[in-house]
Amino acid sequence: MSQEALSNLLRENRRFAPPADLAAQANVKESAYAEAADDRLGFWSRQAERLDWATPWTQVLDWSNAPFAKWFVGGELNIAYNCVDRHVEAGNGGRVAFHWEGEPGDTRTITYTELKDEVCKAANALTELGVTKGDRVAIYMPMIPETAVAMLACARIGATHSVVFGGFSVSALRSRIEDAQAKLVITADGGYRRGAPSALKPTVDQAVTDTVENVLVVRRTGQDVEWTDRDLWWHDVVDRQSAEHTAQPHEAEHPLFILYTSGTTGKPKGILHTTGGYLTQVAYTHWAVFDLKPETDVYWCTADVGWVTGHSYLVYGPLANGATSVMYEGTPDTPHKGRWWEIIEKYRVTVLYTAPTAIRTCMKWGDAIPAEFDLSSLRVLGSVGEPINPEAYVWYRERIGGGRIPVVDTWWQTETGAMMISPLPGVTHGKPGAAMRPLPGISADVVDGEANPVPDGSGGFLVLTEPWPSMARTIWGNPDRFVETYWSRWPGLYFAGDGAKKDEDGDLWMLGRVDDVMLVSGHNISTTEVESALVGHPRVAEAAVVGANDPVTGKAIAAFVIVRGEGEVDVEELRAHVGQTLGPIAKPKQVLIVPELPKTRSGKIVRRILQDIAEGREIGDATTLADAGVMDSIKKALDI
Ligand code: ATP
Ligand code: MG
């Protein structure tokens, strides 16, 4: 990273102190960092005690076969029991687990007692279908309560689930069914998206392979479906089961789920997570980072369940903590662009967890929309998925948070299983655009090419220096690729693929992927910086920047821009704006105005596809895009 670019980011010097009332009542205090640093394993051992174990562990961490970790060795527990039954046994069965909101406006309220009955029935149904401990089950569902029930039922009987995002194509679904050799697929006729039923079952029909014995189908939309001998309706098989089911404990290292990475940078990797360490860290971080008060908070994570955020912070973390959550089926602009804010007003949501892409989209729609709703119930705002630009952070804080409440920017990955680097809302000063510091019990650093920690005020590679409970255990079926991909660059260090910077206070700023740093005329410029500069212009809603090969400059910066507001935009003015903000070297050579950007299901821009466009190539693998139609509208706008 060039010095001039670094000093530019460092010029972002707005600071927001934690609100006094929140700080006074906060779940976690500053002292947690020192306690965890003094005795990291003792710290995680205490966090594991938030859970109910059938058999206590004898060893906190076995790292003798690094990088294949074993946490809480000898311990046994049941995840579904921890997420559901124990809250009922503690007298909280009447508490709402999910306020579910269907896109067409239908709703369901599910208490912990009701959730327990449903999970037990589904577990009995899976057993009747011959699914046993260790089998794999693929889940290809819309955002409906049965999706969480299906995941928990699998966890209860020890079947390993592989959730596949409901927007994925036949080939993406088939390759995941094949890779896991799934015995059962759980799906629905369809779900509601953008005001209309969107079919799922036909995709499953084409994707099933020989290992699949049955397809269990939830009726959600009532649309016509083709039927074969393999297919069973959920309501026929699950509803008639007994609501009694005794949860057997599973070993701490029993495989809980396989989940594929988003595929932003290439072929998705099937990440394996296990039981005890995973639940420990998701429960702890959900409680600490959102300052969760389960009796009074109404928590809403907008992530799709097909993404790791949906696993850890829509299903497992909140339920382990006995939280009340909102689950919403549809898109944020159906039937109107204020739908999210209406949901917050309706359920008095206190904690909102979403992604920068969604925040920027709402910015583009205009301040007037959220202003129509009462958002005063909110007390913590979270962000995840990509670096949040300072402008988006400040908009989120001001327009959604009323300027009163903290924003926590949480850095983590499918591979880390749970949050790793984030502010704590009652402790940390907020800096727009900074993820700040590793959470208590987590050890991270920024290093140079020789693995030496960089001094404050410099950038480098983000590494994790000690194992953590919710770490990936392997890549499913491919342990060599696990070692090669994450652990081979420097001995003993996990390298995440992301760049980061330490500011003068030693706080961490995420700079996106190291592959996204462009070498332009001998200067390193990160795509994130140029994007942030563009989004800082009042007419730019979203920007994606790539380095296109250029015979003269090495890389030439190409910017794809979505415009905000009415009327023509002067492309020269945008180029000049970047030049003024970051220096002339960072001025994009091309600025292309587009209606949409190609994104993964988690909202990340797939830059390699834009690079194909900028370099005039055939467009590469687009199977992990959340919406395949986007490429057509971009091509149309650019006339290619
Ligand atoms: P693939 O690994 O297949 O290319 P992916 O990395 O996009 O896909 P995920 O595991 O969903 O798959 O995303 C993790 C990545 O998201 C991180 O490595 C980082 O680049 C980015 N990210 C997540 N949260 C943040 C954040 N708060 N700030 C900056 N970047 C973030
Ligand atoms: Mg990744």
Side-chain angles (χ1 to χ4, degrees):
M1 162 114 1
S2 65
Q3 271 330 107
E4 69 236 83
L6 257 182
S7 54
N8 175 66
L9 262 180
L10 296 174
R11 240 177 275 139
E12 171 56 62
N13 55 11
R14 286 168 283 192
R15 298 284 179 277
F16 302 109
D21 51 341
L22 198 156
Q25 314 266 331
N27 287 350
V28 184
K29 303 273 164 33
E30 173 69 40
S31 55
Y33 292 99
E35 279 163 32
D38 285 349
D39 177 9
R40 197 171 48 86
L41 297 183
F43 171 82
W44 284 119
S45 179
R46 286 193 295 284
Q47 302 320 319
E49 281 160 20
R50 313 173 162 272
L51 307 179
D52 217 284
W53 295 76
T55 316
W57 57 92
T58 51
Q59 188 184 4
V60 180
L61 169 67
D62 175 359
W63 193 228
S64 59
N65 186 30
F68 303 98
K70 290 194 176 123
W71 281 85
F72 307 112
V73 184
E76 291 186 316
L77 73 168
N78 186 288
I79 289 229
Y81 175 81
N82 272 280
C83 287
V84 187
D85 307 42
R86 66 172 176 146
H87 305 310
V88 177
E89 287 171 14
N92 294 321
R95 186 184 295 162
V96 174
F98 287 112
H99 290 291
W100 177 77
E101 176 96 5
E103 194 185 74
D106 51 335
T107 61
R108 282 160 71 184
T109 306
I110 298 165
T111 63
Y112 274 91
T113 298
E114 289 161 344
L115 185 62
K116 174 175 174 285
D117 290 351
E118 288 307 308
V119 171
C120 288
K121 287 182 185 177
N124 285 323
L126 293 185
T127 305
E128 184 183 296
L129 295 177
V131 178
T132 56
K133 183 167 176 174
D135 285 340
R136 273 83 55 208
V137 174
I139 299 180
Y140 184 70
M141 291 278 266
M143 289 281 283
I144 56 176
E146 284 80 2
T147 310
V149 170
M151 293 163 75
L152 291 163
C154 287
R156 191 171 188 100
I157 65 169
T160 301
H161 61 70
S162 169
V163 179
V164 182
F165 172 54
F168 278 172
S169 63
V170 173
S171 65
L173 176 59
R174 185 189 299 120
S175 66
R176 286 161 176 73
I177 291 174
E178 241 161 32
D179 193 35
Q181 305 220 304
K183 190 169 188 177
L184 177 75
V185 180
I186 305 179
T187 188
D189 49 359
Y192 288 93
R193 302 280 308 163
R194 301 206 167 84
S198 163
L200 291 170
K201 175 79 169 37
T203 308
V204 176
D205 292 341
Q206 295 175 66
V208 282
T209 55
D210 309 345
T211 59
V212 177
E213 292 173 9
N214 289 112
V215 176
L216 190 56
V217 189
V218 177
R219 186 183 286 152
R220 162 62 184 140
T221 58
Q223 61 202 118
D224 283 341
V225 288
E226 305 258 322
W227 212 249
T228 72
D229 293 349
R230 192 181 48 221
D231 299 333
L232 299 160
W233 283 112
W234 174 283
H235 54 260
D236 285 341
V237 181
V238 178
D239 290 1
R240 62 179 163 75
Q241 302 289 334
S242 155
E244 298 298 317
H245 180 275
T246 310
Q248 300 298 330
H250 303 298
E251 316 76 73
E253 284 299 336
H254 184 67
L256 175 64
F257 66 83
I258 304 165
L259 183 66
Y260 293 79
T261 58
S262 300
T264 313
T265 53
K267 186 174 182 297
K269 300 165 279 272
I271 298 300
L272 181 73
H273 283 289
T274 58
T275 299
Y278 172 79
L279 199 65
T280 296
Q281 194 172 330
V282 295
Y284 170 68
T285 52
H286 180 257
W287 172 85
V289 172
F290 296 127
D291 188 46
L292 184 86
K293 309 283 197 269
E295 302 78 19
T296 48
D297 273 322
V298 179
Y299 164 82
W300 183 19
C301 168
T302 66
D304 191 279
V305 72
W307 179 27
V308 70
T309 306
H311 283 57
S312 302
Y313 298 104
L314 177 68
V315 178
Y316 291 115
L319 293 176
N321 288 331
T324 295
S325 295
V326 169
M327 183 195 259
Y328 171 55
E329 178 184 33
T331 48
D333 52 352
T334 307
H336 58 81
K337 293 191 165 77
R339 185 71 188 268
W340 275 16
W341 319 123
E342 189 178 68
I343 290 174
I344 290 176
E345 179 179 281
K346 175 174 174 184
Y347 295 104
R348 308 294 298 152
V349 171
T350 58
V351 180
L352 177 67
Y353 192 31
T354 192
T357 177
I359 298 166
R360 288 191 301 265
T361 301
C362 294
M363 282 173 79
K364 176 172 68 186
W365 291 340
D367 300 357
I369 294 172
E372 278 172 44
F373 298 91
D374 177 6
L375 306 179
S376 62
S377 54
L378 288 168
R379 62 183 203 91
V380 179
L381 299 174
S383 172
V384 60
E386 53 178 328
I388 180 164
N389 329 83
E391 289 317 308
Y393 177 112
V394 170
W395 187 89
Y396 194 30
R397 192 185 146 90
E398 296 295 323
R399 301 294 155 202
I400 307 305
R404 330 163 264 120
I405 61 175
V407 173
V408 289
D409 174 19
T410 63
W411 178 90
W412 57 294
Q413 309 178 295
T414 311
E415 298 88 338
T416 68
M419 297 169 185
M420 301 295 283
I421 302 177
S422 169
L424 289 173
V427 177
T428 325
H429 271 62
K431 296 182 184 176
M436 304 300 287
R437 63 206 273 214
L439 288 167
I442 300 300
S443 309
D445 209 337
V446 182
V447 300
D448 65 18
E450 275 70 58
N452 302 309
V454 302
D456 291 349
S458 329
F461 304 99
L462 179 69
V463 293
L464 303 171
T465 56
E466 296 287 351
W468 62 100
S470 64
M471 65 198 291
R473 298 305 195 258
T474 190
I475 292 179
W476 179 254
N478 201 343
D480 295 342
R481 190 175 177 209
F482 179 66
V483 177
E484 164 66 23
T485 310
Y486 306 110
W487 301 92
S488 61
R489 185 127 173 197
W490 302 287
L493 296 180
Y494 171 91
F495 174 49
D498 286 0
K501 160 178 90 58
K502 285 184 205 166
D503 68 15
E504 299 298 342
D505 306 324
D507 293 324
L508 300 174
W509 297 66
M510 300 302 148
L511 296 179
R513 296 155 202 290
V514 287
D515 314 344
D516 290 343
V517 173
M518 305 167 288
L519 190 64
V520 181
S521 302
H523 295 258
N524 283 321
I525 300 173
S526 91
T527 52
T528 306
E529 292 173 304
V530 182
E531 286 162 9
S532 284
L534 282 163
V535 175
H537 188 283
R539 291 302 309 280
V540 176
E542 278 211 75
V545 166
V546 297
N549 281 324
D550 186 284
V552 181
T553 51
K555 291 276 180 198
I557 300 175
F560 295 77
V561 167
I562 302 181
V563 169
R564 173 176 173 191
E566 299 301 316
E568 284 274 299
V569 174
D570 181 2
V571 165
E572 277 316 306
E573 187 186 312
L574 299 185
R575 294 183 64 234
H577 173 78
V578 175
Q580 279 150 19
T581 321
L582 295 176
I585 192 84
K587 256 192 188 175
K589 185 166 175 188
Q590 320 175 50
V591 175
L592 304 166
I593 307 288
V594 289
E596 286 172 283
L597 293 169
K599 288 180 186 162
T600 63
R601 67 184 182 280
S602 44
K604 282 192 277 261
I605 297 160
V606 183
R607 289 197 181 72
R608 61 187 163 77
I609 289 183
L610 296 175
Q611 192 144 7
D612 292 340
I613 297 178
E615 296 180 352
R617 255 199 314 273
E618 187 82 13
I619 288 164
D621 180 21
T623 55
T624 60
L625 293 188
D627 178 356
V630 165
M631 285 320 295
D632 294 332
S633 70
I634 295 176
K635 284 186 190 160
K636 199 164 153 232
L638 299 178
D639 203 14
I640 50 174

